Amino acid sequence: MRTPIVAANWKMNKTQAEAREYCRRFRELVPEDFPVELVLFPPFTALGAVRDGLTGSVVKWGAQNVHPEPKGAFTGEISLPMLLEYEISYVIVGHSERRDIFGETDEFIARKIWAVLEAGVRPILCVGEKLEERREGRAREVVERQLSAALEGLSPEDADRVVIAYEPVWAIGTGVPARPEDAQEMAAFIRGWLRARLGDVADGIRIQYGGSVKPGNAGDFLRLPDIDGALVGGASLDPDSFFAIAREGVP
Ligand code: PEP
């Protein structure tokens, strides 16, 4: 059985003081035996506060982005050795905001996936089509291209450590989620793609849905057969709202 994973992408939100207060409240909410894996993704500057605030709890934390090189002349970037000092468990790779606003290509994203796995950390690979691509009937083609570029050639052992977040771009931050049946259809397609390359390992790989998930609609997604969690942006900024979403994932 796949352990559900619900993750909070804070994006460019929260100071260290705000992160500390969030962790304090979140720890009050989450029981030690909570059966859903929970991961917070603060901005880099709050990673230390989140690490200190969550150490000793069941909640994990990670980074929203990373550069594939370990060091060098890459102004404004951050490397895996730097992030490992904060004891991260996960890195988000290929978020649509990184692809669309910052111009990250499939090839660059693939380099990040390899670097993250090599460092012993788990990537959450984001894939998803834009609205016009869905309207043109090209959603699967786009997702397949993103999967091939990032994951083709990975060993089953490495692939087993990857989480995939299906996030249709038009649903992110818009308040308009995908229809659950469309999310399930794409998740089943992703699992089929994985099975064709990795065999039974595909049955253990977790696939999240992301895009305007809220406490009121989370259950519609988290109950779907091929969806094993959620990547949550806006509704994760409040600890009570994020925990209400996570509770919908309890098997
Ligand atoms: C995201 O940024 O990955 C996301 C899903 O955002 P939101 O929940 O705000 O749509």
Side-chain angles (χ1 to χ4, degrees), residues 50-73:
V50 166
R51 186 232 359 236
D52 295 348
L54 296 180
T55 296
S57 78
V58 291
V59 184
K60 300 188 172 95
W61 57 95
Q64 296 175 18
N65 186 28
V66 71
H67 193 279
E69 293 298 326
K71 63 180 179 180

Side-chain angles (χ1 to χ4, degrees), residues 177-190:
R179 293 187 310 173
E181 56 268 37
D182 291 336
Q184 164 57 28
E185 200 232 84
M186 188 61 87
F189 171 73
I190 292 170

Side-chain angles (χ1 to χ4, degrees), residues 19-85:
R20 267 193 292 276
E21 177 51 25
Y22 188 110
C23 293
R24 189 199 59 73
R25 173 65 184 148
F26 202 50
R27 285 186 77 149
E28 285 176 355
L29 295 168
V30 183
E32 281 301 304
D33 58 352
F34 194 61
V36 175
E37 189 174 353
L38 297 168
V39 193
L40 303 188
F41 289 94
F44 299 135
T45 48
L47 269 173
V50 166
R51 186 232 359 236
D52 295 348
L54 296 180
T55 296
S57 78
V58 291
V59 184
K60 300 188 172 95
W61 57 95
Q64 296 175 18
N65 186 28
V66 71
H67 193 279
E69 293 298 326
K71 63 180 179 180
F74 302 104
T75 302
E77 291 293 319
I78 196 155
S79 72
L80 277 153
M82 295 169 188
L83 291 171
L84 285 170
E85 288 190 322

Side-chain angles (χ1 to χ4, degrees), residues 227-251:
I227 290 192
D228 314 301
L231 182 54
V232 187
S236 75
L237 292 175
D238 173 75
D240 290 84
S241 154
F242 181 55
F243 187 61
I245 291 170
R247 262 203 314 255
E248 297 290 332
V250 172

Side-chain angles (χ1 to χ4, degrees), residues 9 11 95 167 171-173 210-213 231-234:
N9 177 12
K11 312 192 186 191
H95 191 279
E167 299 206 300
I172 296 179
S212 297
V213 173
L231 182 54
V232 187

Side-chain angles (χ1 to χ4, degrees), residues 93-208:
V93 177
H95 191 279
S96 69
E97 287 152 18
R98 299 297 320 169
R99 293 177 190 263
D100 297 341
I101 304 173
F102 300 102
E104 291 192 6
T105 61
D106 283 335
E107 292 67 35
F108 194 48
I109 289 162
R111 285 176 57 204
K112 294 182 186 213
I113 292 282
W114 287 84
V116 169
L117 289 169
E118 176 113 0
V121 177
R122 294 167 180 260
I124 295 185
L125 170 68
C126 300
V127 296
E129 80 286 356
K130 296 183 183 155
L131 188 57
E132 59 273 24
E133 293 164 338
R134 175 158 284 268
R135 286 197 175 130
E136 289 162 8
R138 297 199 297 116
R140 282 185 178 202
E141 179 197 316
V142 169
V143 168
E144 178 162 25
R145 189 203 73 226
Q146 294 169 337
L147 290 171
S148 304
L151 302 182
E152 200 82 69
L154 282 191
S155 68
E157 297 72 40
D158 276 344
D160 198 30
R161 293 194 288 126
V162 176
V163 174
I164 296 172
Y166 169 56
E167 299 206 300
V169 178
W170 43 273
I172 296 179
T174 59
V176 183
R179 293 187 310 173
E181 56 268 37
D182 291 336
Q184 164 57 28
E185 200 232 84
M186 188 61 87
F189 171 73
I190 292 170
R191 202 173 303 286
W193 186 92
L194 294 167
R195 192 172 291 114
R197 281 148 191 87
L198 299 161
D200 292 346
V201 170
D203 293 325
I205 296 179
R206 290 166 306 168
I207 301 174
Q208 300 174 306

